[in-house]
C-alpha cells in the first residue's frame, strides 16, 4: 500500500509565494535588460539636499554618468535621490528599484525608469 501525503494550505501558499518571487525576478530582468554598464547606489535615506554627503553623491553619480555609466538606486530619498539626480543631470539613464513598504514609499522624482517590487 502506498502512503499518500496531503499538502496542507500553508504548503500550497508557500509554493505560490515562490512563483511570485520568480515572477518579480523575471520582470526585473526584463525591464533592466540593456541597461549597462551601470553602477548601483544604495544608501542613507536621511540625507538632505544641500548636505555634504548628498551633494557628493550627486556629483559622483553625475561624473559616472558622463563617463557612460547608467545609475541604479533603491529609488528612495537621500543618497538614492542624489544619485538619480546626478544621473539625470548627466543625461544618462537613472533607474530606481523601489519596494512596496507599509509606509508606502514612492520612488524619488529623479528616477527616469522605475521598477516596483513586492519583495
Amino acid at each position: 500500500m502506498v502512503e499518500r501525503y496531503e499538502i496542507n494550505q500553508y504548503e500550497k501558499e508557500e509554493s505560490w509565494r515562490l512563483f511570485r518571487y520568480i515572477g518579480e525576478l523575471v520582470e526585473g530582468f526584463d525591464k533592466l535588460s540593456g541597461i549597462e554598464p551601470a553602477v548601483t547606489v544604495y544608501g542613507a535615506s536621511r540625507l538632505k539636499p544641500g548636505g555634504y554627503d548628498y551633494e557628493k553623491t550627486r556629483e559622483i553619480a553625475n561624473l559616472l554618468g558622463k563617463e557612460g555609466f547608467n545609475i541604479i538606486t533603491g529609488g528612495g530619498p537621500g543618497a538614492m535621490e542624489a544619485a538619480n539626480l546626478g544621473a539625470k543631470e548627466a543625461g544618462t539613464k537613472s533607474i530606481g528599484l523601489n519596494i512596496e513598504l507599509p509606509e508606502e514609499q514612492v520612488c524619488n522624482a529623479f528616477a527616469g525608469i522605475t521598477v516596483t517590487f513586492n519583495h
Side-chain angles (χ1 to χ4, degrees), residues 4 8 13 16 23 25 35 45 48 50 56 58 60 66 72-73 76 79 85 87 89 93 111 115:
R4 295 189 61 155
N8 64 41
E13 290 172 12
W16 284 109
L25 283 171
I35 298 182
S45 62
K48 300 292 182 210
K56 280 297 177 186
R58 178 179 172 184
I60 291 167
K66 288 178 180 175
I72 302 173
T73 75
L85 174 57
E89 291 170 338
K93 290 181 182 169
V115 183

Side-chain angles (χ1 to χ4, degrees), residues 7 29 35 55 74:
I7 297 175
F29 281 113
I35 298 182
E55 296 305 326

Side-chain angles (χ1 to χ4, degrees), residues 8-97:
N8 64 41
Q9 188 62 34
Y10 175 78
E11 291 169 317
K12 287 180 186 176
E13 290 172 12
E14 289 301 303
S15 297
W16 284 109
R17 183 185 312 236
L18 176 63
F19 286 116
R20 288 192 300 272
Y21 294 160
I22 292 169
E24 283 195 355
L25 283 171
V26 170
E27 178 187 3
F29 281 113
D30 285 348
K31 288 189 176 180
L32 296 176
S33 67
I35 298 182
E36 50 188 63
V39 172
T40 304
V41 177
Y42 287 92
S45 62
R46 292 184 173 90
L47 300 182
K48 300 292 182 210
Y52 178 81
D53 291 332
Y54 183 100
E55 296 305 326
K56 280 297 177 186
T57 303
R58 178 179 172 184
E59 178 185 351
I60 291 167
N62 184 284
L63 291 171
L64 287 166
K66 288 178 180 175
E67 290 297 320
F69 290 95
N70 298 301
I71 303 297
I72 302 173
T73 75
M80 297 167 281
E81 175 184 294
N84 285 132
L85 174 57
K88 183 176 181 178
E89 291 170 338
T92 193
K93 290 181 182 169
S94 177
I95 301 102
L97 304 179

